[in-house]
Amino acid sequence: MSQIFANTLYMQILNNIFSSSLHLFYPHICTGCGSDLVQKDNLLCLRCINELPATNFAQHANNPIEKIFWGRIPLVAACSQYYFVKDSLIQHLIHLLKYDGNKEIGIYLGELMGQSLINSNYYRNLDALIPLPLFPDKERKRGYNQATVICEGISNSMQVPVWADVVTRQKFTETQTKKHRTERWENVSESFIVKDAGKLRGKKILLVDDVVTTGATFEACGNALLKVEGIQLSIAALANAAK
Ligand SMILES: [Zn+2]
């Protein structure tokens, strides 16, 4: 046995002892099904990862998410990573992220999402990821914006920075609400404010949210961002709940 090989073997044995003793103290179980067949650094077992209903929309132009926005806002590309299936694993995981304080699963799902985006020709050379803002009081209540958490995961996979403070969402005052009562679309559209147009000028950005349904919120925030000169906008949602 060569010395190098012996050393490598020795290191592997040490590493295995270390991992299994860690395993004793911190049992590493799948967030989806509770099985302990989870590979290092993963939060889901392979069975659960394979069970997630991937759309593969990131790899395809003219996909159903892009079609939602046709004739509404000009986008470079749009996709969702998964189908939102009721009473399924993906709904359970999104619930953990939004209502159970489980940011780790959001980061992990973002990392999986980033891996498919990085393998697509349509999301190259992005300058920044922008989480779709929550209303400030909602974010305060939850303690975080789930879209920002997903962006952190995408960023880990793609090495693209997260700009969480370039656009904000404002709560309407009583008078404004009354004024726009009959104009719901207008109400949504005017609630997004670009804070740092200079930083965004001419940049290629990806606007991210957890779920896309009618596309109205993406459209409203997108419209605010598209007022910035030379901006190139793409959209990505973790799950597609569009009818
Ligand atoms: Zn599992």
Side-chain angles (χ1 to χ4, degrees):
M1 202 181 329
S2 79
Q3 190 58 41
I4 292 170
F5 181 71
N7 281 344
T8 315
L9 195 67
Y10 179 65
M11 287 306 290
Q12 265 173 7
I13 291 167
L14 268 187
N15 201 14
N16 284 346
I17 293 170
F18 185 65
S19 306
S20 43
S21 55
L22 265 186
H23 200 267
L24 274 180
F25 296 116
Y26 305 101
H28 192 49
I29 58 162
C30 171
T31 308
C33 68
S35 129
D36 64 355
L37 297 171
V38 183
Q39 292 179 336
K40 194 170 156 269
D41 297 334
N42 284 355
L43 291 186
L44 296 175
C45 70
L46 278 177
R47 220 194 65 186
C48 283
I49 294 174
N50 290 329
E51 199 185 300
L52 290 172
T55 61
N56 295 317
F57 289 165
Q59 324 300 330
H60 299 283
N62 306 329
N63 66 58
I65 302 298
E66 292 192 357
K67 287 180 183 171
I68 290 177
F69 297 100
W70 281 1
R72 293 168 70 180
I73 43 170
L75 298 175
V76 176
C79 67
S80 70
Q81 172 74 359
Y82 301 112
Y83 291 101
F84 187 86
V85 181
K86 255 193 131 212
D87 301 321
S88 74
L89 176 61
I90 188 68
Q91 184 182 23
H92 172 61
L93 298 178
I94 291 174
H95 189 96
L96 289 178
L97 166 64
K98 286 173 82 169
Y99 308 109
D100 227 13
N102 192 333
K103 290 205 258 180
E104 291 73 21
I105 195 65
I107 291 174
Y108 182 68
L109 290 170
E111 285 170 356
L112 294 177
M113 193 168 161
Q115 283 162 22
S116 21
L117 293 172
I118 217 166
N119 287 317
S120 164
N121 291 325
Y122 303 107
Y123 303 88
R124 300 229 185 278
N125 310 314
L126 290 170
D127 291 300
L129 309 168
I130 298 184
L132 204 140
L134 285 176
F135 285 113
D137 57 340
K138 197 160 187 180
E139 182 165 347
R140 217 172 300 124
K141 232 168 148 188
R142 187 168 290 163
Y144 55 91
N145 176 359
Q146 69 274 10
T148 308
V149 175
I150 295 166
C151 281
E152 282 166 23
I154 299 174
S155 175
N156 290 346
S157 295
M158 297 188 90
Q159 310 301 319
V160 174
V162 183
W163 292 353
D165 49 6
V166 286
V167 57
T168 58
R169 196 168 180 176
Q170 64 166 11
K171 197 83 188 163
F172 273 79
T173 64
E174 186 71 11
T175 19
Q176 281 170 312
T177 312
K178 272 185 189 150
K179 200 168 108 192
H180 292 289
R181 194 148 51 188
T182 50
E183 300 258 11
R184 275 193 64 216
W185 185 87
E186 206 176 327
N187 200 339
V188 184
S189 78
E190 288 176 5
S191 67
F192 291 96
I193 310 285
V194 172
K195 287 282 178 197
D196 199 341
K199 193 172 177 178
L200 288 166
R201 197 163 293 131
K203 292 293 193 284
K204 201 169 176 183
I205 59 166
L206 182 66
L207 182 61
V208 176
D209 204 3
D210 54 340
V211 175
V212 56
T213 311
T214 63
T217 323
F218 267 122
E219 181 183 0
C221 188
N223 267 318
L225 289 165
L226 283 163
K227 287 180 186 150
V228 177
E229 192 194 336
I231 204 164
Q232 293 180 67
L233 179 66
S234 292
I235 277 173
L238 182 61
N240 168 24
K243 294 282 177 293

